[in-house]
């Protein structure tokens, strides 16, 4: 029950804040969960209640909520040089070091980095780079961007246009020239009797048809998350990226990996594209880049796009784009530390990526166990990201009526039991912090299992 006193945190939050992506009837009924601090993978609210955050904040707090090394790196940079920009030929030394580190960690042998403050801005930046390249290279018509239905790329005007979610029609989006192809979800989109390989071939053929219809010379890029995140945690079908990339290569169209969720270890490799064995032409990163401690995004161009952007920029003397806080030195210091903590191991601590790999079988086993419930239609995922999709009828994959808000109820019941997880369509998403212990993972599945049984008993 919400605390109704007029001076309660819940009432104060409701009085003066606007909420993004929040179910407002739930807020009315339950009040905002107002948080004060965290410990490892747990967060605490103003009433002292503890929650295991199975969503790493919003996919990003992969090192937990009180990592001492990350906070120390921020503090040291604040003390030494607390802020600067990256315009007009100036750049903080820490930012220079971060670019070196990112190129070393990137799935390319060389390339260049451009900084933003978010994943959305990184996608907008990428598209402006491609439009700028088209104009400078004598192909001003090369502007169309291909993405997938349910793909999530952010909320700014271009990133929202790339995103293949129905709610964007509420804004009159997408803009012209943003085309959404079939969602690569075999369980939902595969035809009766169609094998996974045949499904992949059908998606590649669709891409070929779209390119033929639109004209290859009008298409600037195909942008895809290695595993769709906010679209419902959807791993690609077998051979998908190989099939897509070979189709794109025939037409000279770049493939960009939106690694905002997958990047920095989530799928068990540094990058999602490495998990799926392909090398994209550019990578978009954010979220775990600073382990959630600072708003920062990055576009990392591979050799070909980096060289072309450099040449096109030199021709007009600059690339006229950037944000006041692009490459912020404090963000850069935190990102340097976060990459060390995740990929290299800091001090005596092993890399968090090792723990991702160690925990993955336990995570998969916990998911498989819950998938046996009669109202879980599919358990899917990769590494430490997963989703459980609720269905009214398992055999026919029929969803529950949307007015039952089943996934919202499951998430709220979890909250009552001290577990934070996120509803997404009819699914529940799990993307635990990389610092979880075995016992914490068991706690996550126990609490989720109890909530699922309780809600299914109410609605089924
Ligand atoms: C979250 C996300 C974005 C947008 O990042 P913001 O920092 O929220 O703007 C873009 N792409 C993917 C794949 C994401 O998950």
């Amino acid at each position: 029950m919400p605390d109704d006193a007029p001076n309660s945190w819940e009432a104060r939050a409701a009085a003066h804040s606007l909420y993004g992506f929040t179910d407002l009837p739930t807020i009315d009924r339950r009040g905002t969960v107002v948080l004060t601090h965290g410990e490892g993978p747990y967060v605490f609210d103003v009433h002292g209640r503890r929650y295991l955050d199975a969503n790493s904040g919003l996919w990003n707090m992969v090192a937990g909520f009180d990592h001492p090394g990350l906070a120390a790196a921020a503090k040291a940079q604040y003390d030494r040089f607390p802020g600067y920009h990256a315009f007009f030929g100036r750049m903080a030394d820490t930012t220079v070091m971060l670019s070196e580190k990112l190129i070393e960690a990137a799935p390319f042998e060389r390339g260049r980095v451009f900084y933003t403050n978010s994943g959305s801005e990184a996608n907008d930046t990428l598209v402006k780079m491609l439009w700028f390249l088209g104009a400078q290279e004598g192909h001003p018509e090369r502007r169309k961007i291909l993405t997938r239905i349910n793909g999530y790329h952010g909320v700014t005007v271009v990133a929202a246009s790339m995103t293949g979610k129905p709610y964007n029609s509420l804004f009159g989006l997408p803009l012209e020239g943003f085309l959404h192809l079939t969602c690569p979800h075999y369980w939902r989109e595969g035809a009766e009797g169609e094998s996974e390989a045949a499904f992949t071939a059908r998606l590649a053929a669709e891409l070929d048809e779209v390119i033929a219809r639109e004209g290859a010379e009008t298409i600037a890029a195909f942008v895809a998350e290695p595993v769709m995140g906010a679209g419902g945690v959807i791993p690609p079908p077998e051979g998908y990226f190989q099939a897509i990339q070979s189709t794109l290569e025939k037409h000279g169209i770049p493939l960009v990996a939106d690694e905002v969720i997958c990047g920095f270890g989530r799928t068990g490799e540094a990058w999602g594209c490495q998990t799926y064995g392909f090398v994209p032409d550019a990578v978009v990163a954010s979220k775990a880049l600073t382990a959630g401690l600072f708003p920062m995004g990055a576009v990392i161009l591979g050799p070909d796009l980096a060289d072309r952007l450099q040449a096109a920029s030199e021709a007009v003397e600059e690339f006229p784009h950037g944000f006041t806080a692009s490459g912020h030195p404090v963000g850069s210091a935190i990102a340097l530390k976060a990459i060390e903590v995740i990929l290299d191991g800091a001090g005596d601590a092993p890399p968090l990526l090792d723990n991702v790999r160690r925990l993955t079988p336990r995570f998969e086993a916990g998911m498989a166990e819950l998938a046996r419930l009669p109202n879980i239609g599919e358990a899917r995922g990769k590494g430490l990201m997963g989703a459980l999709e609720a269905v009214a009828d398992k055999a026919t994959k029929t969803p529950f009526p949307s007015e039952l808000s089943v996934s919202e109820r499951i998430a709220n019941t979890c909250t009552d039991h001290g577990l934070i997880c996120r509803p997404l369509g009819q699914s529940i998403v799990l993307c635990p912090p990389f610092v979880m212990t075995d016992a914490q993972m068991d706690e996550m599945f126990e609490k989720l299992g109890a909530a699922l049984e309780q809600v299914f008993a109410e609605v089924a």
Side-chain angles (χ1 to χ4, degrees):
M1 279 312 287
D3 186 339
D4 287 334
N7 64 346
S8 70
W9 283 105
E10 290 81 357
R12 289 163 64 189
H16 303 298
S17 298
L18 286 166
Y19 299 90
F21 289 115
T22 292
D23 185 64
L24 295 176
T26 299
I27 289 290
D28 277 348
R29 229 176 28 255
R30 300 173 54 90
T32 305
V33 179
V34 182
L35 300 164
T36 54
H37 66 290
E39 277 174 27
Y42 296 98
V43 291
F44 295 78
D45 73 11
V46 286
H47 307 290
R49 285 188 288 251
R50 188 180 81 158
Y51 305 88
L52 181 59
D53 192 331
N55 282 170
S56 305
L58 210 41
W59 312 89
N60 55 350
M61 304 290 297
V62 296
F65 296 94
D66 60 352
H67 194 284
L70 291 169
K75 220 169 276 157
Q77 182 66 45
Y78 270 125
D79 287 342
R80 185 166 72 82
F81 193 33
Y84 211 71
H85 62 80
F87 287 3
F88 319 132
R90 293 185 280 280
M91 181 177 277
D93 54 359
T94 314
T95 311
V96 174
M97 291 190 277
L98 177 59
S99 297
E100 288 169 349
K101 183 81 186 167
L102 278 172
I103 294 303
E104 185 194 313
F108 320 114
E109 73 241 37
R110 64 185 181 83
R112 289 177 188 269
V113 186
F114 196 98
Y115 296 102
T116 68
N117 310 302
S118 68
S120 300
E121 291 169 351
N123 276 313
D124 276 53
T125 296
L126 168 83
V127 170
K128 281 185 72 181
M129 286 171 167
L130 295 167
W131 288 351
F132 177 80
L133 265 188
Q136 292 304 305
E137 292 179 347
H139 297 285
E141 73 288 355
R142 198 171 64 209
R143 289 176 70 85
K144 290 176 192 162
I145 303 291
L146 308 184
T147 58
R148 287 93 48 84
I149 292 169
N150 282 327
Y152 184 83
H153 301 285
V155 296
T156 48
V157 174
V158 160
S161 295
M162 295 164 73
T163 293
K165 296 278 209 167
Y167 53 71
N168 278 319
S169 66
L170 299 170
F171 302 95
L173 294 172
L175 297 175
E176 201 189 322
F178 289 81
L179 307 175
H180 302 132
L181 282 71
T182 299
C183 178
H185 187 185
Y186 178 57
W187 181 71
R188 273 273 170 229
E189 300 291 335
E192 187 74 41
E194 186 178 40
S195 70
E196 196 168 326
F199 178 59
T200 296
R202 173 155 68 85
L203 298 183
E206 177 198 35
L207 175 61
D208 226 5
E209 281 156 30
V210 170
I211 295 170
R213 184 188 75 212
E214 300 291 328
E217 69 289 354
T218 71
I219 299 171
F222 181 95
V223 186
E225 304 154 84
V227 180
M228 281 187 172
V233 186
I234 297 166
E238 207 184 304
Y240 176 79
F241 280 104
Q242 286 66 30
I244 293 292
Q245 189 162 38
S246 79
T247 304
L248 293 169
E249 273 170 358
K250 275 193 300 191
H251 301 284
I253 299 169
L255 168 62
V256 179
D258 183 340
E259 296 264 6
V260 170
I261 285 176
C262 295
F264 307 103
R266 179 58 72 183
T267 63
E269 298 289 339
W271 303 97
C273 61
Q274 291 169 335
T275 295
Y276 290 102
F278 69 99
V279 180
D281 295 288
V283 154
V284 174
S286 186
K287 294 202 168 93
L289 169 61
T290 58
L293 271 76
F294 200 90
M296 183 177 246
V299 181
I300 310 175
L301 299 179
D304 179 56
L305 287 174
D307 290 349
R308 286 164 58 195
L309 189 74
Q310 188 68 13
S313 304
E314 279 166 7
V316 291
E317 295 187 351
E318 66 174 351
F319 176 55
H321 177 83
F323 302 93
T324 302
S326 284
H328 194 286
V330 176
S332 298
I334 297 170
L336 271 168
K337 192 64 178 182
I339 297 169
E340 184 189 338
V341 165
I342 297 167
L343 300 183
D344 306 331
D348 294 338
L352 287 183
L353 183 57
D354 287 0
N355 204 42
V356 172
R357 291 175 179 157
R358 194 188 63 78
L359 281 170
T360 294
R362 202 178 192 90
F363 184 66
E364 288 171 348
M367 297 279 289
E369 180 68 27
L370 293 178
R372 289 164 47 180
L373 291 171
N375 292 105
I376 294 296
E378 189 189 38
R380 53 178 180 262
K382 193 76 188 173
L384 287 189
M385 60 194 290
L388 293 163
E389 184 154 340
V391 287
D393 185 310
K394 200 161 177 150
T396 60
K397 307 179 186 176
T398 309
F400 282 104
S402 60
E403 59 276 15
L404 285 179
S405 302
V406 165
S407 59
E408 189 77 19
R409 280 161 91 140
I410 295 166
N412 289 339
T413 307
C414 286
T415 308
D416 292 340
H417 292 113
L419 175 70
I420 291 178
C421 58
R422 167 180 182 198
L424 217 172
Q426 300 266 339
S427 302
I428 290 290
V429 169
L430 299 175
C431 50
F434 302 171
V435 293
M436 263 197 183
T437 62
D438 290 351
Q440 289 161 345
M441 183 152 287
D442 294 346
E443 177 190 343
M444 175 178 87
F445 281 115
E446 270 159 38
K447 289 186 162 159
L448 178 57
L452 290 171
E453 287 187 19
Q454 183 179 330
V455 172
F456 291 148
E458 286 165 19
V459 300

